[in-house]
Structures are given as C-alpha cells and as structure tokens.
Amino acid sequence: MIFNAITRIGRRGLLADLVVATFPLLMLTRALQVDANFGGMTDCRTCFAWAAIASDSGLFVLLLLLYGMLLVTPGRALQLLLKLLMLGLLLLYLVDLILLDMMAIRLNFSEALKYATAIGPTYDIVRGYIAEASPLLWISAALGVVLVVAFLLAPVTAGRWRWRALGLCGGLAALLWLFVPRVAYVHSWGYENVVQVNLSSGVMVAYSDPFIAELKERNESRDALACRDTPAPASRPNIVLVILESFSMHHSNFFSGLNDFTPQLDRIARENRAHTNFHANGFTTEAGLLALLTGRISLPIVEENNLGAGVSFQGGFNLEETLPKRLRSEGYYSAFLTSGDLGFLDKEAWLKSIGFDHTEGHQQRFYRNWPRFHFQAAPDRALYLRSQRVIEALEQRDRPFLAVIETVSTHLPFINPETGERSEAAALAYADRALGEFYDRMVRSGYFTRGGVMLIVSDHRTMTPISPGERERFGDRAESLVPLVVVDPERASKGIDTALGQQTDLVESLLGRVSGRLCPSFFGSDLFDPASSADCVFHGSGVVKERVSVLCSGAPAAVVRLNGDDTAFEGKAPARGQLILDYLNSERLRRLSGRYNLN
C-alpha cells in the first residue's frame, strides 16, 4: 500500500521535487553544525552559518541545473542518468555532513580512495557505527531506499509552476553564492562546500628548478644547529613508548579540567613529568606514527598529478634517520607491538622499512582466545599483557631495547570491550584502567628501579568536534594538543613541563637521552630538559592537505598554504617566517630525495 502511494506521488513528479527540496534542509543542518563548531571561536555567531549556506548554494544551483535538464530530457535512459547524478550529488553531500558531525572532518576524495583499498578494517569501523543506529534511523533508511527506487522508476513531468519555482530557487541560490561574504578565518574548510575542499590543488604543484636551487643556497648559508652534551646516562636505558589511540586533553581532568575519563593517566602524570603544551603533528594515527618514529611531519609529498589515492605513509618508506635505525647504531633492539591489523594501510611494511627488528599485530597467537573489535584487534588489556611478556623476555638479553606499544581500543567508533557500552567516556575509562594496570605491573616488576624509561603519548586528538570548553581552555591549540607523560627517575623529575613541544622532537630527545649528545632540529626541543622549548610547532591539516598550522611561542596561530614555489603564509607571517617556509618546503622535497637533491 505504501509503495503504491509512493508510485502515485512519483507519477506526478513529486518525488523529484522531494529530492530537490531535501538539499536545502541538509544545507540548513550543516550551517547550524558549522556555526556550532566554529562560531564560538570568533565574535560572529551567525557568520559561519551564512558562509556555509552561501558556499553550498553553488552545489544547489548545480542540482537545480540537473533537475532542469531532467525536465526537458525525453529519453528514459538519459533521464535515469540525470537522476543518478542528482542522487550522487545528494549522497556526496550527506556523507560529508555525517563525517563533519561524527568525526569533525570533511569528505576527502583521495583519502576515501585510500581507505577503500582496505576493505576489511574499513568495514569493521563502519559496522561499529551501524550497530549504534537507532530503530528509527533504520526505518528512515528503509523508507529512503523505497523513495529512491520509486524516484528512479517514476516518470518526470514538467509544468509551468515547476519552471517558476526552479527559476526562483536558482536565482536566490545564485545570489547567495555570489554576494554573501565569507568569513576570513584559518579554518575556512569548515564552511566551504565539499567540492571546494577537494579542489585544493597546492599539494600537486611541483617546485621549479630555480626555486630549489635558491632554497638549497639558503639552507647552506645558515649555520647548522650545534650539538650539545646532555647529562651522561648511567647506562643505556631500556625504553618503552606507549602510543595511546586518540587520548586527548579534554578527556583528562589533570590536563584540562574538562572531563574525568582518565584518572589513571592523571595519576601517572602527577607522579612523573607531565607535558601540558605538547602537540601532535597531524590529525591521524599515520601522521602521529610518522612524526614520533621518524621525526618527520606528515606533509603531502611533491608529485605532479598525484592525488595520494591508495598511498599510505606517503614518502615515509625507507627513511634513514628514523628512531629504530638510529637507536640500532647505539646498540638497541627495537620491537613494535599492537593488537591491531598491521596489514591495514601497509603499516607492517612501513615499520620494517624504517628499521624495526620485530613487529607483531592481531595474528599473534597470544590473542587467539580474546574477542576482536576494530581492525581485528584484541582489547588493550590483552595488548598490555602480551607486551609485558615481550618486555620481560627482552630484559633477559644483554642488549638495550626500544618497545613501542600502539593501543587500539579507543579508536572510533567508541566501545568498551568489556561491557559493550558505546560511548566516548566508557571506551576511555576501559583503556585508562588497562593503562594503569600495565603501569603498576611495570613498577612492581622493578623496571624503573633498573633504570627503565617509559613515555606515554597520544597519536592525535580524537576525531570528534572541538567542544566549547576546549575552545575556551586552549584556543587555537585545541586541535593539536595531546597528553605526554615521561617516566624517567634518572632524568625527568616529578612536575609539570609547560614548554612548547611536538611529536617530531621525540627522536632527537631519545637519542640525546641514551647517548649524552643532543643534536636538535630547527624549532625542536629536548623533551627531557624542562628548560628546553620549541620555537614553533607544526600541525598538518586533516581536511585541507595543503594547509599547515604553525604555532610559535608568544605569537598567534598562523597557517601556511603549500603551493610549490608560491608556498606562503595566509595573512601575517610570524617571526622567522622565511625560515619556517624553507623548513616546510625542504621537508616536502626531502621525501622525494631521488628527484630533488637538497644535500
């Protein structure tokens, strides 16, 4: 009966009208969402809503053009093609809206193609979100499918009133697109429409030979940063690096005062050295791993006509100056331990290429009887139990070691592996308890009294919208700040370190710690020296790949737009602006050292 009623409506052409009318409703939804996410950062509460509506009006004009063509097209095959194009545009907009709401990111075509190649793990994540859907949402989805099928099958009839409505709506949308001013703001990606966000082409602009020659000349004219002695270690310490998935400042009462999801992390921070001004260099786990383990920012490589589709750890394979390789020169053995799928995004191949002696993931037999969640991963508690076994075995050898532990249980969508509760607070509470238990076992085992070192750090801020409390507490730093705790009785005294730091500082800091000789990079800091502070920190955008946020001590946030020879600051440049630009350009070019010689 319902389908017959829908069919009768379709014969009158009303289903096509419904498809078109849905778009302004989605535009209004996104406008309110963008204003809620970004309006609090400025004094203009409605500016972002109007900017989003104006940007999306261009897409609405495109939808109306397709509808107009549909009304005058006689053939059923061409009509079907136009209907599919209309539905495709609507679906594109809807997916982008969902990503902005759930993960505070935008739909990126190249990233979508990359993750599409990892069907299994991507399906696990999507399945987690589907499991959270309410019955009402399922009913709405089912009704939507019926309406779509009926729309595709039903004929379309033109009428004088439809043409008038089409002209009126198209004219209004065109006026909004052309004349409503956009907000001048560093996060304009929030209100730009999905096509504008993906049309950014600066990352595909190659550098010219004369520009490279001038850049090389400037680099050579600058004095190299002098290495300096650090306190000589009593012995080469064993190192455990715990990389927490998505742990964020706002989760912690100690680090933010906003929530109390992580009492165990807070306890460990109070008992040791806590860094409260430490920044992630990127927006994803991939970017965090690249920064922490190689000292490189995850910047898009320079390659003409390269969309980055299907490429993971782009430009990061076979690097030489990595943490495992440099520690190997100091006599260290290195192991990377996770309970997740190392095949996801070619992670295992990348880890081996940067020098890890041992890697293990979800296929480790220890996890055989544990339940599995995202990325086929066993829960964090299982990972910590397995890691402690590995650490105990490594301690029996006469060789110091680096053990990197990458957790998974707090990856989106949030779920507590023990209770099944699906919430951010529940997932963080579980992961935090597991971390506390692991730390306490390491204390009881005597690991620290034997000179062992542990660093606990997040890979990136969680992919959820920044709350008003975070904006008020951290301002422009909210999207990049992450917790860092250093447990090192010999070098890191108990206390709070407010010095500016970032993930790329870890490699040189650890080398200085084990060798007694620190060779800092430009803008870097020594994470074991509270008197050391980075001049600037960098955060690659998770949405607009050509944008890099720059936060310098005592200066407001700035943004660099990558664009080949024309790479420049958007707006006023901070002090040492040319050095910052040269640093970012050089980092990109060195990732393709076979093509561009800067040495």
Side-chain angles (χ1 to χ4, degrees):
M1 185 172 72
I2 295 177
F3 188 79
N4 290 335
I6 292 173
T7 303
R8 286 196 297 271
I9 293 172
R11 286 173 183 157
R12 298 177 185 175
L14 296 179
L15 284 177
D17 300 334
L18 179 62
V19 169
V20 174
T22 300
F23 202 88
L25 295 177
L26 294 178
M27 286 172 57
L28 179 60
T29 301
R30 195 176 89 85
L32 295 174
Q33 187 180 79
V34 168
D35 196 64
N37 287 351
F38 299 99
M41 298 182 183
T42 67
D43 295 327
C44 190
R45 256 299 181 180
T46 59
C47 296
F48 286 88
W50 280 110
I53 289 172
S55 297
D56 290 344
S57 293
L59 297 182
F60 188 43
V61 168
L62 176 59
L63 183 68
L64 293 173
L65 287 174
L66 291 172
Y67 187 31
M69 293 171 62
L70 179 64
L71 294 177
V72 298
T73 300
R76 295 294 294 269
L78 288 177
Q79 282 189 355
L80 180 61
L81 176 61
L82 289 168
K83 288 178 179 180
L84 290 173
L85 289 174
M86 291 174 66
L87 290 174
L89 180 59
L90 201 63
L91 180 62
L92 188 73
Y93 192 95
L94 183 60
V95 171
D96 181 59
L97 180 62
I98 291 171
L99 288 174
L100 182 62
D101 178 56
M102 300 182 72
M103 303 176 70
I105 61 174
R106 303 295 301 277
L107 176 62
N108 182 280
F109 299 155
S110 64
E111 290 293 301
L113 288 172
K114 181 170 74 174
Y115 285 100
T117 62
I119 297 174
T122 302
Y123 171 72
D124 288 341
I125 297 173
V126 173
R127 183 178 60 182
Y129 284 116
I130 292 174
E132 297 177 1
S134 65
L136 180 60
L137 186 60
W138 280 109
I139 294 171
S140 301
L143 180 60
V145 170
V146 173
L147 289 171
V148 166
V149 173
F151 167 64
L152 291 174
L153 296 178
V156 177
T157 57
R160 184 176 299 176
W161 71 270
R162 276 198 177 90
W163 285 114
R164 289 175 179 171
L166 195 63
L168 179 63
C169 292
L172 179 60
L175 289 174
L176 289 170
W177 167 259
L178 292 173
F179 296 110
V180 172
R182 293 2 177 223
V183 183
Y185 188 57
V186 294
H187 298 302
S188 60
W189 60 264
Y191 64 73
E192 291 173 342
N193 67 52
V194 63
V195 174
Q196 287 175 307
V197 168
N198 280 276
L199 282 179
S200 300
S201 58
V203 297
M204 291 185 285
V205 177
Y207 294 93
S208 68
D209 291 336
F211 180 89
I212 295 170
E214 291 177 9
L215 176 61
K216 183 177 180 180
E217 185 177 341
R218 285 198 299 272
N219 288 341
E220 291 174 346
S221 67
R222 294 188 178 107
D223 293 332
L225 294 179
C227 296
R228 59 182 174 85
D229 292 331
T230 60
S235 61
R236 291 177 302 175
N238 294 322
I239 303 166
V240 174
L241 172 61
V242 181
I243 303 176
L244 301 172
E245 171 63 51
S246 299
F247 270 57
S248 307
M249 302 294 272
H250 69 277
H251 294 146
S252 161
N253 184 58
F254 175 87
F255 283 97
S256 72
L258 297 174
N259 292 294
D260 194 17
F261 299 161
T262 60
Q264 296 303 315
L265 175 64
D266 292 358
R267 172 177 64 89
I268 299 169
R270 291 189 185 96
E271 294 174 356
N272 297 282
R273 177 157 293 277
H275 291 249
T276 58
N277 197 11
F278 185 78
H279 295 256
N281 291 110
F283 194 71
T284 63
T285 297
E286 181 180 322
L289 291 176
L290 191 66
L292 289 166
L293 301 179
T294 73
R296 300 289 186 90
I297 307 172
S298 182
L299 299 171
I301 64 172
V302 182
E303 187 73 17
E304 293 173 276
N305 304 318
N306 172 39
L307 295 177
V311 179
S312 305
F313 296 100
Q314 193 179 32
F317 280 82
N318 301 310
L319 299 176
E320 289 303 318
E321 298 296 310
T322 68
L323 183 59
K325 290 180 179 179
R326 294 186 67 183
L327 284 178
R328 181 182 296 160
S329 67
E330 298 290 334
Y332 276 73
Y333 179 88
S334 60
F336 185 96
L337 313 170
T338 186
S339 60
D341 183 359
L342 285 179
F344 182 59
L345 301 183
D346 298 322
K347 185 184 291 184
E348 184 168 27
W350 175 72
L351 291 168
K352 290 184 179 299
S353 82
I354 65 169
F356 275 97
D357 298 303
H358 173 75
T359 60
E360 61 178 55
H362 76 288
Q363 294 180 330
Q364 211 324 297
R365 287 182 297 174
F366 181 85
Y367 306 124
R368 190 166 39 196
N369 297 320
W370 287 83
R372 301 304 178 104
F373 297 89
H374 325 319
F375 309 105
Q376 303 183 58
D380 283 358
R381 182 166 280 118
L383 171 63
Y384 286 128
L385 290 171
R386 168 60 188 166
S387 297
Q388 189 161 13
R389 285 193 182 184
V390 173
I391 291 168
E392 289 171 352
L394 292 175
E395 283 192 297
Q396 301 305 311
R397 303 183 180 184
D398 58 356
R399 183 179 178 186
F401 65 83
L402 164 71
V404 178
I405 303 170
E406 182 197 33
T407 70
V408 184
S409 291
T410 39
H411 195 285
L412 288 168
F414 294 117
I415 180 172
N416 183 317
E418 293 182 337
T419 66
E421 182 181 348
R422 295 178 179 274
S423 73
E424 187 171 7
L428 266 293
Y430 164 79
D432 181 65
R433 284 195 303 273
L435 171 65
E437 292 167 1
F438 171 67
Y439 174 77
D440 290 341
R441 288 195 301 270
M442 294 293 285
V443 171
R444 290 194 299 269
S445 74
Y447 172 78
F448 298 109
T449 59
R450 293 190 294 273
V453 172
M454 179 183 292
L455 296 95
I456 303 171
V457 65
S458 176
D459 55 355
H460 57 82
R461 185 198 172 276
T462 184
M463 292 182 181
T464 55
I466 296 173
S467 68
E470 283 181 275
R471 294 193 204 104
E472 183 178 354
R473 176 76 173 80
F474 301 119
D476 291 324
R477 302 178 300 151
E479 64 180 315
S480 57
L481 276 173
V482 291
L484 167 65
V485 179
V486 178
V487 186
D488 183 1
E490 182 180 327
R491 281 287 310 278
S493 59
K494 175 181 175 181
I496 295 176
D497 191 334
T498 60
L500 190 62
Q502 59 192 325
Q503 290 174 333
T504 52
D505 295 338
L506 183 73
V507 173
E508 292 297 343
S509 297
L510 281 176
L511 263 294
R513 173 65 181 86
V514 304
S515 69
R517 187 79 170 158
L518 179 72
C519 299
S521 59
F522 279 108
F523 310 107
S525 68
D526 180 2
L527 299 177
F528 292 91
D529 181 1
S532 175
S533 178
D535 293 328
C536 301
V537 298
F538 305 92
H539 180 77
S541 172
V543 181
V544 184
K545 303 301 180 185
E546 63 191 38
R547 284 181 174 176
V548 181
S549 297
V550 182
L551 297 169
C552 298
S553 299
V559 172
V560 171
R561 181 177 287 272
L562 306 175
N563 189 31
D565 294 1
D566 296 321
T567 294
F569 283 93
E570 294 182 350
K572 184 179 179 181
R576 304 172 74 191
Q578 187 59 55
L579 180 60
I580 292 171
L581 294 178
D582 288 350
Y583 170 74
L584 293 174
N585 287 326
S586 299
E587 282 296 295
R588 295 186 71 205
L589 290 166
R590 286 193 180 99
R591 300 271 287 280
L592 285 182
S593 58
R595 179 173 176 184
Y596 300 99
N597 182 18
L598 291 179
N599 300 318

